[in-house]
């Protein structure tokens, strides 16, 4: 009889509380008001005199926004540090010290005159997950890490540094702030001379998750709550210089000109034609052009321009580039100019999301009554770099009218809530996983 009573007490002490935590975890919900409030609070950092968002990496606004966010992380009980690359890392310990962390996060820097949701929503959602677990006294088995990467918009600089893929030559490239990446890292509290200390090894993470606004209008047009991303396209960039001869625009005959802008314009059209000649969802863009000397009465003698191409296949990108180079050689002959291409040090290889994590996200969506579809990501995100450290997962929520990198960028509180709840539930499902993931 005494043995039976002892067994009953043990059940009360250990089994029932365990069931209670499982039941509670299935009902945890994010605070959508808090998420939206923090979106608006973060948006105040870096505004210029015209009220435009200018929280570009390494700017004073970026520094102020990082300080604001680190204060929130510390208030949430996270152990917060800045690594040598300038990334912000917040850690919450789990109950099993032998398990690798589940990490999630994004970035808070923005493009010039950008929107308030790109990156910021993912970082704020990551912190919200910690807040909800704290408020419900839910201790996960795995340690949890909130990662806020520096200078995502400048070429995934922070996540590249964490995975050891930031080349030394890239440190001397100028950022939009006017500082070099090297100078920017110093400004935000990192140490470019000790970048190797920021590098983490494959297998260091159980998983890395990111949630982001879609930046197109597929979800909105189809009335779907979230997209579960299957893969992230590779991105390859080139700087192009077109050299002609600057000359008097009034006295130089039209048939005796070596006009760099004419050649550059032909090349822009050639890029569009070449990219459209391939089958698939590839894209190619010329988004930047500088004309010199830039006077109405002078024939342009030099044009500096960009070329960016994206696809899930690096092989296809390079085939398109070869075709563009061939067209450039023809344009040189036609216009009497010279065209040179310099490949960027900040290119990104395509990455596929973990099938197991996608399945967990689908399970989470079903349990929450959230509709979903699968898609590829045409935009680059830090999560693709993190695929070298462990399995990855990426979720999108709708963007109003598909607008992004623009002050009109917007996602509703209801959509942010659904996406954040999906992330929270996915983290809990991964935490229950009995073995490490092995595929990506």
């Amino acid at each position: 009889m005494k043995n039976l009573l002892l067994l009953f007490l043990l059940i009360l002490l250990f089994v029932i509380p365990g069931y209670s935590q499982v039941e509670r975890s299935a009902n945890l919900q994010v605070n959508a008001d808090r998420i939206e409030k923090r979106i608006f609070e973060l948006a105040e950092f870096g505004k210029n005199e015209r009220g435009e968002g200018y929280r570009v990496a390494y700017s004073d606004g970026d520094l102020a926004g990082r300080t604001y966010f680190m204060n929130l992380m510390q208030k949430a009980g996270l152990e917060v540090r800045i690594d040598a690359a300038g990334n912000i890392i917040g850690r919450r310990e789990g109950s099993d010290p032998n398990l690798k962390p589940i990490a999630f996060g994004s970035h808070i820097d923005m493009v010039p005159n950008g929107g308030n949701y790109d990156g910021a929503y993912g970082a704020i959602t990551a912190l919200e997950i910690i807040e909800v677990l704290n408020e419900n006294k839910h201790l996960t088995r795995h340690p949890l890490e909130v990662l806020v990467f520096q200078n995502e918009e400048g070429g995934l600089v922070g996540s590249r540094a964490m995975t050891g893929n930031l080349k030394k030559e890239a440190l001397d490239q100028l950022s939009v702030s006017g500082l070099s990446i090297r100078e920017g890292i110093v400004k935000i509290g990192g140490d470019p001379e000790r970048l190797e200390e920021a590098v983490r090894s494959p297998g260091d993470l159980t998983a890395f998750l990111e949630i982001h606004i879609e930046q197109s209008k597929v979800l909105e047009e189809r009335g779907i709550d979230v997209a579960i991303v299957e893969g992230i396209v590779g991105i390859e960039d080139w700087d192009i210089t077109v050299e002609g001869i600057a000359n008097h625009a009034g006295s130089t005959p039209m048939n005796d000109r070596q006009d760099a802008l004419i050649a550059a314009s032909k090349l822009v059209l050639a890029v569009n034609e070449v990219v459209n000649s391939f089958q698939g969802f590839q894209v190619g863009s010329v988004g930047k052009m500088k004309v010199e000397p830039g006077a109405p009465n002078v024939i342009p003698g030099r044009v500096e321009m960009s070329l960016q191409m994206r696809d899930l296949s690096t092989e296809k990108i390079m085939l398109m580039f070869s075709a563009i180079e061939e067209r450039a050689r023809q344009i040189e002959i036609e216009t009497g100019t010279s065209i040179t291409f310099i490949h960027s040090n900040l290119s990104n290889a395509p990455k596929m999301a973990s099938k197991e994590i996608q399945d967990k996200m689908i399970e989470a969506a079903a349990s929450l009554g959230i509709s979903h579809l699968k898609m590829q990501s045409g935009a680059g995100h830090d999560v693709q770099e993190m695929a070298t450290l462990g399995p990855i997962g990426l979720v999108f929520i709708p963007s109003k009218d598909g607008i992004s990198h623009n002050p009109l960028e917007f996602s509703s509180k209801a959509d942010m809530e659904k996406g954040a709840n999906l992330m929270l539930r996915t983290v809990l499902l991964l935490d229950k996983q009995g073995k490490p993931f092995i595929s990506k």
Side-chain angles (χ1 to χ4, degrees), residues 121-138:
Y121 168 60
I124 289 169
T125 293
L127 181 57
E128 178 64 20
I129 291 170
I130 300 297
E131 300 266 27
V132 172
L133 295 176
N134 288 345
E135 290 163 355
N136 289 274
K137 298 179 172 56
H138 184 99

Side-chain angles (χ1 to χ4, degrees), residues 21-22 25 28 92-96 99-104 129 133 138-144 206-207 209 357 360 423-437:
Q21 171 146 311
V22 170
S25 70
L28 298 185
R92 183 183 194 258
E93 295 297 341
S95 63
D96 188 341
L99 293 177
K100 299 291 186 180
I102 299 172
F104 34 86
I129 291 170
L133 295 176
H138 184 99
L139 181 62
T140 55
R141 296 167 57 241
H142 293 77
L144 303 179
T206 293
L209 310 177
I357 293 179
K360 293 296 181 187
M423 283 284 285
L424 171 61
R425 188 65 55 86
T426 301
V427 168
L428 294 172
L429 289 172
L430 295 178
D431 188 51
K432 290 166 59 179
Q433 182 78 13
K435 59 181 180 176
F437 299 115

Side-chain angles (χ1 to χ4, degrees), residues 328-378:
R329 301 291 80 85
Q330 296 170 4
I331 293 168
E332 285 178 323
I333 295 170
E334 294 169 6
T335 60
T337 60
S338 65
I339 302 173
T340 57
F341 296 83
I342 298 177
H343 195 200
S344 168
N345 291 314
L346 294 174
S347 59
N348 304 302
K351 295 293 192 310
M352 302 306 294
S354 159
K355 177 64 166 58
E356 291 96 329
I357 293 179
Q358 291 180 60
D359 290 343
K360 293 296 181 187
M361 289 176 169
I362 292 170
E363 181 182 344
S367 71
L368 293 164
I370 292 174
S371 60
H372 76 277
L373 56 74
K374 287 192 173 185
M375 70 162 58
Q376 71 178 39
S377 173

Side-chain angles (χ1 to χ4, degrees), residues 1-9:
M1 188 66 179
K2 288 182 179 179
N3 288 338
L4 287 174
L5 181 60
L6 180 60
L7 178 61
F8 178 72
L9 289 173

Side-chain angles (χ1 to χ4, degrees), residues 222-268:
R222 298 188 187 182
I224 303 294
D225 295 324
V226 300
I228 294 170
V229 177
E230 296 178 288
I232 302 150
V233 299
I235 304 175
E236 299 288 342
D237 287 280
W238 287 264
D239 291 322
I240 304 173
T241 302
V242 183
E243 295 277 5
I245 295 179
N247 212 337
H248 198 291
S251 59
T252 307
M254 295 297 289
N255 63 355
D256 192 28
R257 299 183 176 203
Q258 291 167 269
D259 189 325
L261 183 56
I262 294 293
S265 301
K266 287 176 178 284
L267 185 57
V268 171

Side-chain angles (χ1 to χ4, degrees), residues 14 29 50 60 97 107 147 168 173 177 187 242-243 249 262 311 315 335 343 356 359 364 393 404 407 425:
F14 296 103
Q29 298 283 319
R50 295 184 297 276
D60 291 342
H107 65 99
L147 304 182
K168 288 185 178 179
Q173 293 188 10
S177 71
K187 180 173 179 177
V242 183
E243 295 277 5
I262 294 293
D311 192 71
E315 181 182 7
T335 60
H343 195 200
E356 291 96 329
D359 290 343
S404 184
R425 188 65 55 86

Side-chain angles (χ1 to χ4, degrees), residues 294-310:
N297 59 346
V298 181
I299 297 166
R302 177 184 174 93
V303 173
E304 296 176 358
M305 56 194 281
S306 63
L307 169 62
Q308 183 178 92
M309 291 190 287
R310 305 181 183 217

